[in-house]
Amino acid sequence: MFTPGVNGGCGKLVGNGIRTYGLSLYTVGIVAWASLHERARKRMIDQTNDLGNAISYPTNVGETDVRHLEQNHTTFLMVDSGRDDISSSIDAAIKFRIKFENHMKKSADVPVISVLNRGGLKSVSVITKRLDNNDTVIVLAKSAGLASFIQKLKEHFIWVN
């Protein structure tokens, strides 16, 4: 299972499910490097002196306004845009995840199912690409954000398959 890997949105939702139900599930967080707290990034860099060794990571450094790795994931892939701004880093992680999931879908016949939990403007492009690829999208309608907006649209329009 692939998620954004942070302690918010779908990453948090999946992590809570794994913890609550005691699931043994291989979960990969594809994380935008610049979106993590600076202390968390520094700690990971300091521990990567020996290439190939596993590193520990902080999942909470006491800040509430930044993202941290969701602790119930088994693996993380850090994606970096080469810039310091968070927005381009998140865009790079989204593009990587879409390409990676599409590759898995084609080469290993793995279904791609996206879950929209809340969601903002960046979620619009992800959901649009998923629907263009005939992938399944599950909308958590009352979770706020884009998901709630889609629910309101559904209430006012007739949907045709």
Side-chain angles (χ1 to χ4, degrees):
M1 179 177 294
F2 300 98
T3 79
V6 293
N7 64 342
C10 284
K12 184 176 182 177
L13 190 68
V14 168
N16 286 344
I18 291 169
R19 185 186 66 250
T20 301
Y21 299 104
L23 302 174
S24 177
L25 184 65
Y26 191 77
T27 310
V28 179
I30 299 177
V31 182
W33 177 251
S35 72
L36 295 175
H37 190 277
E38 185 177 346
R39 284 184 281 172
R41 293 192 313 251
K42 182 175 178 352
R43 183 172 170 191
M44 285 186 268
I45 289 169
D46 290 346
Q47 292 183 21
T48 57
N49 293 335
D50 297 320
L51 191 61
N53 289 342
I55 60 172
S56 63
Y57 53 87
T59 55
N60 185 346
V61 289
E63 304 289 335
T64 57
D65 60 338
V66 293
R67 303 168 94 186
H68 305 285
L69 298 176
E70 203 293 315
Q71 63 187 348
N72 295 294
H73 284 61
T74 54
T75 304
F76 296 95
L77 295 173
M78 306 298 175
V79 179
D80 189 11
S81 66
R83 300 184 199 159
D84 288 334
D85 67 294
I86 293 173
S87 183
S88 66
S89 183
I90 291 172
D91 289 344
I94 289 170
K95 288 178 187 173
F96 175 83
R97 194 171 91 228
I98 289 171
K99 286 182 181 179
F100 186 75
E101 289 170 345
N102 286 341
H103 173 75
M104 294 297 292
K105 178 181 176 180
K106 291 176 184 168
S107 65
D109 197 29
V110 174
V112 174
I113 301 170
S114 292
V115 177
L116 179 61
N117 179 35
R118 295 184 296 215
L121 290 177
K122 292 186 185 299
S123 299
V124 173
S125 66
V126 173
I127 296 305
T128 301
K129 288 176 184 170
R130 290 290 169 226
L131 293 173
D132 287 345
N133 288 333
N134 293 318
D135 295 330
T136 300
V137 176
I138 298 170
V139 178
L140 303 180
K142 296 184 181 182
S143 62
L146 179 62
S148 292
F149 177 72
I150 290 172
Q151 175 63 28
K152 288 186 189 303
L153 283 176
K154 182 181 176 289
E155 291 171 3
H156 295 291
F157 296 97
I158 298 172
W159 293 74
V160 178
N161 290 336

